[in-house]
Amino acid sequence: MSSSIKPAHTLKSKIFGHVWALITVVMWGVSFVSTRVLLDNGLGPIEIYIYRFVLAYMVVASFKHSRWLARSWRDEALLALCGVLSGSIYFIAENTALQYTFVSNVSLLTSTSPLITTLLVALMYKSERPGGGMVLGSLVAFMGVACVIFNSSTNVEIRPLGDFLSLAAAFSWALYSMILKRLNAVYDIWFITRKTFFYGVLTALPFLIGEPPSHDALSILVRPMVAGNLLFLGLGASLIGYVLWAMTVKRVGALKANNYMYLQPIITMVVSVILLGEQVSVIGYIGCALILGGLWLGDYLQRRAVRR
């Protein structure tokens, strides 16, 4: 039997990993539109983040509470870091950046997370260094992301504070994926997810001092549209999304998992057209083709290199 043929169970596991990645990215792509709906209804960005993650944490804690602390304080610190990187830092940096720079700048710079992950993997894991094919595919996909983002706006300027915060968000997500890979080898995914939500909310609470909850928050929350979108963000994009993402990273690795993040702008664009009536230009369609082509090219060249 050829050594290039992988065991059936390994192949099946990776296929599931890719399917879960697609489901997760679809939910996260839709979450941008849901967040916009909540913002339009009067909720603040930090307020929205805390509501959705508190909801997700309460659901997980209701059935996954046999272990409350990690096996060591070092691992507990890593779990806390996951909560900070993928929760409070990522979302607060991204939302705050929108106040200081253009939406197109924020979208483009936060989409560099897969490229940053590629660089970190190359520096930290010699056995998993990406080949030239994967790097080329990532660059093509990134150009597609830029086209999709500029579908609705070509107004791009350098605004240091907002752009720095956007890059900080991308870097924090890349680091989270790397740490998640290490924790996945030791702990149950539900335990990791619950701890991530807990530390994410805990470290976000101080930011409410600068952005107190809306004075009429209760009347806003009972609106069917608001409640529905919060349920989706809390139970779908947060709870299910983070669990599936952890499973994806465990099965296909942080590098391949993060490449799926390039698909987010496509999902957001499609949903915006359907629900918000936004228009898609020729450059938007070109961007979609480049993203899909880049992901296919990277995977094809990587598999071809392995066969050699």
Side-chain angles (χ1 to χ4, degrees):
M1 182 180 291
S2 172
S3 59
S4 62
I5 299 178
K6 298 180 180 180
H9 70 278
T10 302
L11 180 61
K12 183 178 180 181
S13 177
K14 289 193 173 183
I15 289 174
F16 274 115
H18 290 294
V19 171
W20 290 327
L22 284 171
I23 294 173
T24 303
V25 169
V26 167
M27 287 192 293
W28 287 348
V30 175
S31 71
F32 284 98
V33 177
S34 286
T35 301
R36 176 176 166 178
V37 170
L38 296 178
L39 289 169
D40 290 343
N41 275 271
L43 295 179
I46 298 176
E47 190 178 5
I48 293 170
Y49 164 71
I50 289 179
Y51 287 152
R52 64 183 280 190
F53 276 79
V54 166
L55 175 61
Y57 174 78
M58 290 175 63
V59 173
V60 178
S62 68
F63 66 87
K64 192 64 181 180
H65 50 260
S66 58
R67 172 190 289 271
W68 288 102
L69 293 174
R71 297 176 182 176
S72 67
W73 287 110
R74 182 179 181 181
D75 286 352
E76 189 71 22
L78 288 176
L79 288 165
L81 192 56
C82 279
V84 173
L85 292 172
S86 71
S88 52
I89 286 183
Y90 181 82
F91 284 98
I92 293 174
E94 183 183 74
N95 293 338
T96 305
L98 291 170
Q99 300 176 0
Y100 296 99
T101 189
F102 297 110
V103 173
S104 55
N105 289 45
V106 177
S107 300
L108 180 61
L109 292 172
T110 54
S111 296
T112 61
S113 177
L115 290 177
I116 295 173
T117 305
T118 299
L119 178 61
L120 290 176
V121 169
L123 292 173
M124 298 175 64
Y125 299 100
K126 293 182 179 180
S127 61
E128 294 186 26
R129 283 183 176 175
M134 182 169 287
V135 174
L136 177 61
S138 294
L139 291 174
V140 172
F142 182 68
M143 287 189 291
V145 169
C147 289
V148 171
I149 290 167
F150 300 150
N151 167 69
S152 57
S153 173
T154 56
N155 193 5
V156 180
E157 295 179 6
I158 296 176
R159 296 194 174 185
L161 180 57
D163 293 343
F164 172 77
L165 289 171
S166 301
L167 284 173
F171 191 78
S172 69
W173 187 267
L175 282 176
Y176 159 68
S177 296
M178 302 290 292
I179 297 173
L180 184 61
K181 177 183 177 181
R182 177 174 178 176
L183 291 172
N184 271 336
V186 182
Y187 297 99
D188 174 74
I189 288 174
W190 286 103
F191 173 75
I192 297 172
T193 303
R194 193 195 76 219
K195 300 291 285 188
T196 298
F197 291 158
F198 172 77
Y199 284 114
V201 171
L202 185 66
T203 54
L205 289 176
F207 290 92
L208 282 178
I209 298 175
E211 184 194 290
S214 308
H215 67 279
D216 56 347
L218 184 58
S219 62
I220 295 175
L221 291 173
V222 296
R223 297 173 189 171
M225 181 174 291
V226 172
N229 279 282
L230 268 180
L231 284 173
F232 166 72
L233 290 173
L235 303 183
S238 296
L239 175 57
I240 298 175
Y242 272 64
V243 169
L244 290 182
W245 190 254
M247 294 167 68
T248 298
V249 171
K250 186 172 186 177
R251 283 161 175 76
V252 304
L255 190 60
K256 288 186 178 180
N258 263 25
N259 275 339
Y260 278 95
M261 298 289 283
Y262 287 128
L263 295 175
Q264 266 190 193
I266 296 181
I267 305 301
T268 303
M269 184 178 70
V270 171
V271 175
S272 297
V273 169
I274 296 173
L275 298 182
L276 303 179
E278 296 184 358
Q279 300 298 314
V280 181
S281 65
V282 174
I283 194 173
Y285 291 115
I286 293 174
C288 292
L290 285 173
I291 291 173
L292 296 175
L295 292 175
W296 174 84
L297 179 64
D299 183 66
Y300 171 76
L301 293 177
Q302 186 79 359
R303 285 188 284 108
R304 187 174 179 180
V306 170
R307 291 193 189 104
R308 290 179 179 176

